[in-house]
PDB file of all heavy atoms in Angstrom:
ATOM      1  N   PRO A   1      86.941 156.805 121.071  1.00 84.00           N
ATOM      2  CA  PRO A   1      85.753 157.401 120.455  1.00 84.00           C
ATOM      3  C   PRO A   1      84.884 156.341 119.800  1.00 84.00           C
ATOM      4  O   PRO A   1      85.331 155.240 119.483  1.00 84.00           O
ATOM      5  CB  PRO A   1      86.342 158.344 119.403  1.00 84.00           C
ATOM      6  CG  PRO A   1      87.640 157.703 119.035  1.00 84.00           C
ATOM      7  CD  PRO A   1      88.163 157.057 120.296  1.00 84.00           C
ATOM      8  N   LEU A   2      83.624 156.700 119.598  1.00 87.00           N
ATOM      9  CA  LEU A   2      82.718 155.860 118.826  1.00 87.00           C
ATOM     10  C   LEU A   2      82.912 156.173 117.343  1.00 87.00           C
ATOM     11  O   LEU A   2      83.451 157.218 116.975  1.00 87.00           O
ATOM     12  CB  LEU A   2      81.269 156.151 119.220  1.00 87.00           C
ATOM     13  CG  LEU A   2      80.907 155.982 120.696  1.00 87.00           C
ATOM     14  CD1 LEU A   2      79.448 156.349 120.909  1.00 87.00           C
ATOM     15  CD2 LEU A   2      81.168 154.569 121.169  1.00 87.00           C
ATOM     16  N   THR A   3      82.450 155.285 116.503  1.00 86.00           N
ATOM     17  CA  THR A   3      82.436 155.598 115.075  1.00 86.00           C
ATOM     18  C   THR A   3      81.312 156.604 114.820  1.00 86.00           C
ATOM     19  O   THR A   3      80.448 156.829 115.684  1.00 86.00           O
ATOM     20  CB  THR A   3      82.184 154.339 114.234  1.00 86.00           C
ATOM     21  OG1 THR A   3      80.851 153.864 114.500  1.00 86.00           O
ATOM     22  CG2 THR A   3      83.185 153.235 114.571  1.00 86.00           C
ATOM     23  N   VAL A   4      81.322 157.185 113.642  1.00 88.00           N
ATOM     24  CA  VAL A   4      80.254 158.131 113.294  1.00 88.00           C
ATOM     25  C   VAL A   4      78.892 157.445 113.366  1.00 88.00           C
ATOM     26  O   VAL A   4      77.931 157.993 113.920  1.00 88.00           O
ATOM     27  CB  VAL A   4      80.491 158.707 111.875  1.00 88.00           C
ATOM     28  CG1 VAL A   4      79.296 159.560 111.443  1.00 88.00           C
ATOM     29  CG2 VAL A   4      81.775 159.537 111.847  1.00 88.00           C
ATOM     30  N   LEU A   5      78.804 156.237 112.824  1.00 90.00           N
ATOM     31  CA  LEU A   5      77.525 155.512 112.838  1.00 90.00           C
ATOM     32  C   LEU A   5      77.080 155.173 114.253  1.00 90.00           C
ATOM     33  O   LEU A   5      75.894 155.267 114.586  1.00 90.00           O
ATOM     34  CB  LEU A   5      77.643 154.236 111.997  1.00 90.00           C
ATOM     35  CG  LEU A   5      77.781 154.432 110.480  1.00 90.00           C
ATOM     36  CD1 LEU A   5      77.942 153.084 109.788  1.00 90.00           C
ATOM     37  CD2 LEU A   5      76.566 155.177 109.915  1.00 90.00           C
ATOM     38  N   GLU A   6      78.027 154.779 115.107  1.00 91.00           N
ATOM     39  CA  GLU A   6      77.681 154.461 116.500  1.00 91.00           C
ATOM     40  C   GLU A   6      77.187 155.688 117.241  1.00 91.00           C
ATOM     41  O   GLU A   6      76.205 155.625 117.997  1.00 91.00           O
ATOM     42  CB  GLU A   6      78.899 153.868 117.212  1.00 91.00           C
ATOM     43  CG  GLU A   6      79.243 152.447 116.799  1.00 91.00           C
ATOM     44  CD  GLU A   6      80.543 151.954 117.380  1.00 91.00           C
ATOM     45  OE1 GLU A   6      81.387 152.814 117.785  1.00 91.00           O
ATOM     46  OE2 GLU A   6      80.758 150.734 117.436  1.00 91.00           O
ATOM     47  N   ALA A   7      77.871 156.820 117.041  1.00 90.00           N
ATOM     48  CA  ALA A   7      77.470 158.050 117.719  1.00 90.00           C
ATOM     49  C   ALA A   7      76.068 158.485 117.277  1.00 90.00           C
ATOM     50  O   ALA A   7      75.223 158.858 118.103  1.00 90.00           O
ATOM     51  CB  ALA A   7      78.486 159.154 117.438  1.00 90.00           C
ATOM     52  N   ARG A   8      75.825 158.428 115.975  1.00 91.00           N
ATOM     53  CA  ARG A   8      74.497 158.819 115.472  1.00 91.00           C
ATOM     54  C   ARG A   8      73.420 157.869 115.984  1.00 91.00           C
ATOM     55  O   ARG A   8      72.324 158.299 116.379  1.00 91.00           O
ATOM     56  CB  ARG A   8      74.506 158.815 113.948  1.00 91.00           C
ATOM     57  CG  ARG A   8      75.256 159.989 113.344  1.00 91.00           C
ATOM     58  CD  ARG A   8      75.282 159.873 111.835  1.00 91.00           C
ATOM     59  NE  ARG A   8      75.914 161.036 111.206  1.00 91.00           N
ATOM     60  CZ  ARG A   8      76.225 161.099 109.928  1.00 91.00           C
ATOM     61  NH1 ARG A   8      75.966 160.070 109.126  1.00 91.00           N
ATOM     62  NH2 ARG A   8      76.795 162.180 109.432  1.00 91.00           N
ATOM     63  N   ALA A   9      73.736 156.571 116.004  1.00 91.00           N
ATOM     64  CA  ALA A   9      72.764 155.581 116.468  1.00 91.00           C
ATOM     65  C   ALA A   9      72.432 155.802 117.937  1.00 91.00           C
ATOM     66  O   ALA A   9      71.273 155.664 118.352  1.00 91.00           O
ATOM     67  CB  ALA A   9      73.300 154.166 116.259  1.00 91.00           C
ATOM     68  N   ALA A  10      73.442 156.142 118.742  1.00 91.00           N
ATOM     69  CA  ALA A  10      73.216 156.371 120.164  1.00 91.00           C
ATOM     70  C   ALA A  10      72.229 157.515 120.388  1.00 91.00           C
ATOM     71  O   ALA A  10      71.337 157.431 121.243  1.00 91.00           O
ATOM     72  CB  ALA A  10      74.538 156.664 120.866  1.00 91.00           C
ATOM     73  N   ILE A  11      72.385 158.579 119.608  1.00 91.00           N
ATOM     74  CA  ILE A  11      71.489 159.734 119.763  1.00 91.00           C
ATOM     75  C   ILE A  11      70.110 159.437 119.189  1.00 91.00           C
ATOM     76  O   ILE A  11      69.083 159.698 119.819  1.00 91.00           O
ATOM     77  CB  ILE A  11      72.116 160.972 119.095  1.00 91.00           C
ATOM     78  CG1 ILE A  11      73.398 161.363 119.850  1.00 91.00           C
ATOM     79  CG2 ILE A  11      71.133 162.140 119.079  1.00 91.00           C
ATOM     80  CD1 ILE A  11      74.221 162.431 119.175  1.00 91.00           C
ATOM     81  N   ASP A  12      70.070 158.854 117.998  1.00 89.00           N
ATOM     82  CA  ASP A  12      68.786 158.595 117.341  1.00 89.00           C
ATOM     83  C   ASP A  12      67.945 157.566 118.107  1.00 89.00           C
ATOM     84  O   ASP A  12      66.719 157.678 118.156  1.00 89.00           O
ATOM     85  CB  ASP A  12      69.009 158.106 115.908  1.00 89.00           C
ATOM     86  CG  ASP A  12      69.617 159.184 115.020  1.00 89.00           C
ATOM     87  OD1 ASP A  12      69.555 160.365 115.412  1.00 89.00           O
ATOM     88  OD2 ASP A  12      70.167 158.843 113.959  1.00 89.00           O
ATOM     89  N   THR A  13      68.584 156.575 118.700  1.00 91.00           N
ATOM     90  CA  THR A  13      67.860 155.520 119.404  1.00 91.00           C
ATOM     91  C   THR A  13      67.299 155.997 120.739  1.00 91.00           C
ATOM     92  O   THR A  13      66.386 155.391 121.288  1.00 91.00           O
ATOM     93  CB  THR A  13      68.790 154.299 119.628  1.00 91.00           C
ATOM     94  OG1 THR A  13      69.343 153.907 118.384  1.00 91.00           O
ATOM     95  CG2 THR A  13      68.039 153.115 120.218  1.00 91.00           C
ATOM     96  N   THR A  14      67.838 157.106 121.247  1.00 89.00           N
ATOM     97  CA  THR A  14      67.379 157.638 122.530  1.00 89.00           C
ATOM     98  C   THR A  14      65.875 157.848 122.545  1.00 89.00           C
ATOM     99  O   THR A  14      65.199 157.538 123.526  1.00 89.00           O
ATOM    100  CB  THR A  14      68.111 158.963 122.835  1.00 89.00           C
ATOM    101  OG1 THR A  14      69.487 158.664 123.083  1.00 89.00           O
ATOM    102  CG2 THR A  14      67.533 159.649 124.047  1.00 89.00           C
ATOM    103  N   ALA A  15      65.336 158.368 121.456  1.00 80.00           N
ATOM    104  CA  ALA A  15      63.898 158.659 121.392  1.00 80.00           C
ATOM    105  C   ALA A  15      63.052 157.395 121.474  1.00 80.00           C
ATOM    106  O   ALA A  15      61.889 157.446 121.889  1.00 80.00           O
ATOM    107  CB  ALA A  15      63.580 159.419 120.113  1.00 80.00           C
ATOM    108  N   GLU A  16      63.629 156.247 121.096  1.00 84.00           N
ATOM    109  CA  GLU A  16      62.862 155.000 121.080  1.00 84.00           C
ATOM    110  C   GLU A  16      62.876 154.277 122.428  1.00 84.00           C
ATOM    111  O   GLU A  16      62.164 153.292 122.609  1.00 84.00           O
ATOM    112  CB  GLU A  16      63.456 154.066 120.005  1.00 84.00           C
ATOM    113  CG  GLU A  16      63.475 154.681 118.609  1.00 84.00           C
ATOM    114  CD  GLU A  16      64.276 153.829 117.629  1.00 84.00           C
ATOM    115  OE1 GLU A  16      64.641 152.689 118.017  1.00 84.00           O
ATOM    116  OE2 GLU A  16      64.537 154.298 116.508  1.00 84.00           O
ATOM    117  N   MET A  17      63.689 154.754 123.373  1.00 82.00           N
ATOM    118  CA  MET A  17      63.872 154.024 124.622  1.00 82.00           C
ATOM    119  C   MET A  17      63.158 154.665 125.810  1.00 82.00           C
ATOM    120  O   MET A  17      63.354 154.262 126.938  1.00 82.00           O
ATOM    121  CB  MET A  17      65.368 153.897 124.921  1.00 82.00           C
ATOM    122  CG  MET A  17      66.124 153.113 123.871  1.00 82.00           C
ATOM    123  SD  MET A  17      67.863 152.885 124.277  1.00 82.00           S
ATOM    124  CE  MET A  17      67.750 151.893 125.765  1.00 82.00           C
ATOM    125  N   GLU A  18      62.364 155.678 125.546  1.00 84.00           N
ATOM    126  CA  GLU A  18      61.690 156.393 126.635  1.00 84.00           C
ATOM    127  C   GLU A  18      60.247 156.684 126.245  1.00 84.00           C
ATOM    128  O   GLU A  18      59.992 157.248 125.186  1.00 84.00           O
ATOM    129  CB  GLU A  18      62.461 157.694 126.930  1.00 84.00           C
ATOM    130  CG  GLU A  18      61.792 158.621 127.911  1.00 84.00           C
ATOM    131  CD  GLU A  18      61.525 157.972 129.261  1.00 84.00           C
ATOM    132  OE1 GLU A  18      62.475 157.458 129.882  1.00 84.00           O
ATOM    133  OE2 GLU A  18      60.341 157.988 129.682  1.00 84.00           O
ATOM    134  N   ASP A  19      59.277 156.291 127.111  1.00 86.00           N
ATOM    135  CA  ASP A  19      57.852 156.489 126.820  1.00 86.00           C
ATOM    136  C   ASP A  19      57.418 157.939 126.977  1.00 86.00           C
ATOM    137  O   ASP A  19      56.433 158.359 126.372  1.00 86.00           O
ATOM    138  CB  ASP A  19      57.006 155.599 127.744  1.00 86.00           C
ATOM    139  CG  ASP A  19      57.222 154.117 127.452  1.00 86.00           C
ATOM    140  OD1 ASP A  19      57.569 153.796 126.303  1.00 86.00           O
ATOM    141  OD2 ASP A  19      57.063 153.303 128.382  1.00 86.00           O
ATOM    142  N   ARG A  20      58.110 158.690 127.823  1.00 93.00           N
ATOM    143  CA  ARG A  20      57.730 160.091 128.052  1.00 93.00           C
ATOM    144  C   ARG A  20      58.443 160.972 127.026  1.00 93.00           C
ATOM    145  O   ARG A  20      59.684 161.093 127.062  1.00 93.00           O
ATOM    146  CB  ARG A  20      58.121 160.502 129.474  1.00 93.00           C
ATOM    147  CG  ARG A  20      57.322 159.787 130.558  1.00 93.00           C
ATOM    148  CD  ARG A  20      57.974 159.880 131.920  1.00 93.00           C
ATOM    149  NE  ARG A  20      59.246 159.145 131.954  1.00 93.00           N
ATOM    150  CZ  ARG A  20      59.963 158.945 133.055  1.00 93.00           C
ATOM    151  NH1 ARG A  20      59.541 159.440 134.208  1.00 93.00           N
ATOM    152  NH2 ARG A  20      61.087 158.258 133.007  1.00 93.00           N
ATOM    153  N   PRO A  21      57.711 161.583 126.112  1.00 94.00           N
ATOM    154  CA  PRO A  21      58.343 162.347 125.023  1.00 94.00           C
ATOM    155  C   PRO A  21      59.294 163.432 125.505  1.00 94.00           C
ATOM    156  O   PRO A  21      60.349 163.643 124.903  1.00 94.00           O
ATOM    157  CB  PRO A  21      57.146 162.937 124.270  1.00 94.00           C
ATOM    158  CG  PRO A  21      56.033 161.978 124.547  1.00 94.00           C
ATOM    159  CD  PRO A  21      56.249 161.512 125.951  1.00 94.00           C
ATOM    160  N   TRP A  22      58.934 164.141 126.588  1.00 95.00           N
ATOM    161  CA  TRP A  22      59.797 165.245 127.018  1.00 95.00           C
ATOM    162  C   TRP A  22      61.114 164.718 127.602  1.00 95.00           C
ATOM    163  O   TRP A  22      62.166 165.346 127.418  1.00 95.00           O
ATOM    164  CB  TRP A  22      59.082 166.159 128.007  1.00 95.00           C
ATOM    165  CG  TRP A  22      59.040 165.691 129.443  1.00 95.00           C
ATOM    166  CD1 TRP A  22      58.096 164.909 130.011  1.00 95.00           C
ATOM    167  CD2 TRP A  22      59.999 165.988 130.466  1.00 95.00           C
ATOM    168  NE1 TRP A  22      58.395 164.687 131.334  1.00 95.00           N
ATOM    169  CE2 TRP A  22      59.561 165.343 131.640  1.00 95.00           C
ATOM    170  CE3 TRP A  22      61.180 166.721 130.510  1.00 95.00           C
ATOM    171  CZ2 TRP A  22      60.255 165.412 132.849  1.00 95.00           C
ATOM    172  CZ3 TRP A  22      61.880 166.803 131.712  1.00 95.00           C
ATOM    173  CH2 TRP A  22      61.416 166.157 132.861  1.00 95.00           C
ATOM    174  N   VAL A  23      61.068 163.557 128.258  1.00 95.00           N
ATOM    175  CA  VAL A  23      62.294 162.957 128.796  1.00 95.00           C
ATOM    176  C   VAL A  23      63.178 162.457 127.654  1.00 95.00           C
ATOM    177  O   VAL A  23      64.393 162.626 127.670  1.00 95.00           O
ATOM    178  CB  VAL A  23      61.967 161.811 129.779  1.00 95.00           C
ATOM    179  CG1 VAL A  23      63.244 161.091 130.211  1.00 95.00           C
ATOM    180  CG2 VAL A  23      61.228 162.355 130.997  1.00 95.00           C
ATOM    181  N   ALA A  24      62.546 161.848 126.643  1.00 94.00           N
ATOM    182  CA  ALA A  24      63.297 161.392 125.475  1.00 94.00           C
ATOM    183  C   ALA A  24      63.968 162.574 124.777  1.00 94.00           C
ATOM    184  O   ALA A  24      65.141 162.495 124.386  1.00 94.00           O
ATOM    185  CB  ALA A  24      62.368 160.656 124.512  1.00 94.00           C
TER     186      ALA A  24
END
């Protein structure tokens, strides 16, 4: 498993890695 911080970072960072808002 990931740590709590890693899991949250993975989800939160998703929005920053995609230019199309609906895909993010």
Side-chain angles (χ1 to χ4, degrees):
L2 303 178
T3 66
V4 173
L5 291 178
E6 287 173 340
R8 286 177 176 170
I11 294 171
D12 293 343
T13 306
T14 292
E16 303 170 10
M17 298 183 64
E18 173 58 55
D19 294 333
R20 293 163 294 187
W22 81 271
V23 174

